[in-house]
Amino acid sequence: MPAGAPRIFVSHLAGVPVFDPQGDQVGRVRDLVAMLRVGRRPPRLLGMVVEVLSRRRIFLPMTRVTGVESGQVITTGVLNMRRFEQRPTERLVLGELLDRRVRLVDTGEEVTVLDVSIQQLPARRDWEIDKVFVRKGKPGALRRKGATLTVEWSAVTGFSLEEHGQGAESLLATFEQLRPADLANVLHHLSPKRRAEVAAALDDDRLADVMEELPDDDQVEILGKLKEERAADVLEAMDPDDAADLLSELPEEEMERLLALMRPDDAADVRRLLSYEERTAGGLMTTEPIVLRPDATVADALARVRQQDLSPALAAQVYVCRPPDETPTGKYLGTVHFQRLLRDPPFTLVSSIVDTDLPPLSPNTPLSAVTSYLAAYNMVAAPVVDEIGSLLGAVTVDDVLDHLLPEDWRETDFEESLREESAHG
């Protein structure tokens, strides 16, 4: 950035794309790294944490940033692909400085940090944090109830202190547009203390969606720091198969305690899933596929498929069953694929277009056979039916992949292919 360029508030950098000199995107900004200095000297900005296409987080030094403008970051094109590891003297700007309670030096008044700005020093390649945007008032107060102001870094004190109970409002606002998988990746890279604070600030449904995308260890850690009543609420909001997977990681006494706090219907679904071996169709399935009665129409089916909270895999087909139409259902009659629904008139009965040739899975079908089934029939979901012909649920391809990939796939996927590309480049 040329000398004299305007300052940049860091919340505007969260998630912006990073490009090499040829215009190819190499990743996105997930945080900035600063080093606090003695006294009231502004912190030096060391670099950016960039999430590259493999979801690996690397460190991009500010000396290799040639431009920060128009919603993008331009680099020299030379990137070290070693995974970023935070050092004791470093602070993550978005993850650790925002939402912190600090004090105004002149008045001693406690304020909340909403944002900080960075600026490149004249005639140098160094960057530093120069100003702090704060809000007066008590923590958690509505924005309109507290005056906001921008002050010099030297006008506040308290950043170097370890803070207990740091808020998460500004950090969540920064990442509110992220998909659950991306927000889960953000949480995974926060400190345990900060991760617990952000999890506490999320509503139950959002936290449930994010928990489903986190590694098992992070899920257990977060659940253990929630009050038991709230932990039960979050488990209810999760897909039953994901809730069952999480509960299976807990000691039996704790698992039973949480199941007892859940709504009976939700707990019953989870208990049913826990009764099957983990790496079987019964252990993998969700108990909430789209179930329709034989007298439902194509219009009814399309209305169910359009529900926003359905995953693409579950929305790919509907299952036709006799009453009751909640799992375990009455007799399973067959499947109607989404493409077939699009080809027939809205008034057509689903019973007249049902596919009866596709054999269902039994709940004891092992994972290897489930994988072969999906591959052989080119399916993204498969019905699971018991010995008396009732539909128990559906296995989706995303659940199968979760059990086929290594446990650390969220951090290591694509890395081997990237190394191979580099070797052959």
Side-chain angles (χ1 to χ4, degrees), residues 122-143:
R124 297 174 60 185
R125 301 185 70 182
D126 286 345
W127 294 69
E128 66 181 19
I129 296 175
D130 64 337
K131 293 187 181 294
V132 186
F133 181 54
V134 300
R135 182 181 67 230
K136 296 182 178 181
K138 295 181 179 179
L142 295 176
R143 291 181 184 274

Side-chain angles (χ1 to χ4, degrees), residues 241 284-286 289-290 305 310-319 335-339 355 358 361 370-384 393-402:
D241 53 325
L284 296 169
M285 70 182 179
T286 176
I290 302 177
V305 166
L310 278 177
S311 70
L314 279 180
Q317 55 204 49
V318 300
Y319 304 97
T335 301
V336 183
H337 306 281
F338 177 64
Q339 285 183 319
D355 181 356
L358 186 70
L361 298 169
V370 174
T371 306
S372 300
Y373 177 100
L374 294 176
Y377 294 108
N378 296 317
M379 303 291 289
V380 294
V384 181
V395 178
T396 58
V397 67
D398 53 318
D399 290 321
V400 171
L401 287 174
D402 278 346

Side-chain angles (χ1 to χ4, degrees), residues 315-333:
Q317 55 204 49
V318 300
Y319 304 97
V320 182
C321 305
R322 299 199 184 281
D325 47 10
E326 292 186 1
T327 58
T329 67
K331 182 175 177 57
Y332 167 73
L333 301 178

Side-chain angles (χ1 to χ4, degrees), residues 92-234:
L92 296 176
V93 178
L94 294 175
E96 298 180 51
L97 299 190
L98 299 195
D99 301 300
R100 182 174 284 275
R101 295 289 288 176
V102 297
R103 292 186 182 276
L104 298 176
V105 173
D106 289 344
T107 65
E109 182 178 2
E110 197 173 37
V111 293
T112 302
V113 178
L114 301 181
D115 211 340
V116 297
S117 69
I118 60 174
Q119 192 169 40
Q120 190 174 22
L121 300 179
R124 297 174 60 185
R125 301 185 70 182
D126 286 345
W127 294 69
E128 66 181 19
I129 296 175
D130 64 337
K131 293 187 181 294
V132 186
F133 181 54
V134 300
R135 182 181 67 230
K136 296 182 178 181
K138 295 181 179 179
L142 295 176
R143 291 181 184 274
R144 65 174 179 271
K145 290 189 176 180
T148 58
L149 65 157
T150 302
V151 298
E152 298 289 339
W153 176 270
S154 59
V156 296
T157 182
F159 279 105
S160 60
L161 299 177
E162 178 68 22
E163 181 169 337
H164 301 282
Q166 183 178 355
E169 179 183 333
S170 299
L171 182 61
L172 290 179
T174 301
F175 294 116
E176 64 182 349
Q177 299 303 319
L178 290 181
R179 291 175 178 269
D182 294 323
L183 182 53
N185 202 31
V186 171
L187 259 67
H188 176 65
H189 289 88
L190 293 177
S191 66
K193 168 182 172 292
R194 196 71 172 116
R195 185 159 49 240
E197 290 164 348
V198 173
L202 293 169
D203 64 57
D204 291 348
D205 289 335
R206 179 70 160 160
L207 180 55
D209 290 340
V210 172
M211 292 269 281
E212 292 171 0
E213 305 294 339
L214 283 168
D216 292 345
D217 290 347
D218 289 346
Q219 291 186 40
V220 172
E221 173 197 301
I222 290 173
L223 197 73
K225 292 183 178 179
L226 300 176
K227 291 183 178 179
E228 286 192 339
E229 291 77 7
R230 191 181 180 216
D233 291 341
V234 172

Side-chain angles (χ1 to χ4, degrees), residues 5-55:
R7 67 179 52 90
I8 301 164
F9 281 93
V10 296
S11 63
H12 298 163
L13 291 176
V16 304
V18 179
F19 295 93
D20 64 19
Q22 287 72 44
D24 294 325
Q25 183 174 339
V26 296
R28 290 186 178 274
V29 177
R30 291 307 183 204
D31 215 320
L32 294 93
V33 183
M35 183 174 67
L36 301 183
R37 294 195 276 198
V38 177
R40 297 182 185 176
R41 295 176 62 197
R44 181 184 170 210
L45 192 67
L46 303 177
M48 299 180 178
V49 180
V50 175
E51 185 178 292
V52 294
L53 299 182
S54 65
R55 300 180 71 88

